[in-house]
Amino acid sequence: MTAETPTRRTVLTTGVAVAGAAAGAVALAACGTDSGSAGSSGGSAPTAAAGTTVAALNDIPVGQAKSVTVSGQPAIVARPTETTAACFSAICTHQGCTVNPEGGKLNCPCHGSVFNALTGAVEKGPAQTALPSIPVKVDGSNVVTA
C-alpha cells in the first residue's frame, strides 16, 4: 500500500476547517472574564478607618463627583447637595475597569456602562449592579469615612 497524495481540494478544505477552529477558540477566549489587574465584576468597596479624609467638600461641585482613593483603591466621591456627600468604589461591576466621572455620570471606558455619579446606580449596561457604596459623612469642610 502506498499513501495517496492529497488533492488540492482536500488541502484547502482541511486548512479552512483548522483556521476556523483556531479563530473560534480565539473568539471564545476573548469572551472570558479578565483575571488580570483590572479586577473582577461584583467587587466590594474598599474600607478605611472611620474619620479618614476622602476629599475637601469644596473640591466637589454640587451635583458632580470626582475621583479619589480610599485605602489605596480607586473611588468616587460625589456631592448630591451643598451639605451632603456620597462615595462609591470606582471599579465597574461589569468587568472591573475603573470608571471616570463626567459631570453627574460615571463612565466605564471599557464597555460603555454608565452609572449615576450621585447614587452609584446603573443607568446604562452592560453592568447590571450598582457600584458598591463606601460610607462617608461631611465633617466640617471635609468628606470623611464613616
Side-chain angles (χ1 to χ4, degrees):
M1 282 185 132
T2 61
E4 289 188 30
T5 304
T7 65
R8 182 171 178 243
R9 174 174 278 192
T10 303
V11 170
L12 288 175
T13 57
T14 303
V16 170
V18 170
V26 169
L28 285 174
C31 291
T33 59
D34 180 10
S35 60
S37 62
S40 62
S41 61
S44 60
T47 58
T52 302
T53 299
V54 174
L57 187 62
N58 287 335
D59 289 346
I60 311 157
V62 175
Q64 295 187 26
K66 71 178 260 177
S67 296
V68 295
T69 58
V70 174
S71 297
Q73 298 297 311
I76 300 293
V77 63
R79 189 173 181 187
T81 69
E82 194 70 36
T83 59
T84 63
C87 192
F88 311 95
S89 168
I91 304 301
C92 180
T93 55
H94 174 240
Q95 292 257 330
C97 296
T98 303
V99 299
N100 301 310
E102 292 182 29
K105 308 282 184 209
L106 304 173
N107 298 311
C108 180
C110 296
H111 300 106
S113 292
V114 178
F115 299 86
N116 181 300
L118 305 180
T119 66
V122 176
E123 291 188 354
K124 177 184 168 226
Q128 296 182 359
T129 306
L131 296 172
S133 179
I134 301 169
V136 294
K137 64 181 181 178
V138 174
D139 184 15
S141 62
N142 292 316
V143 177
V144 300
T145 53

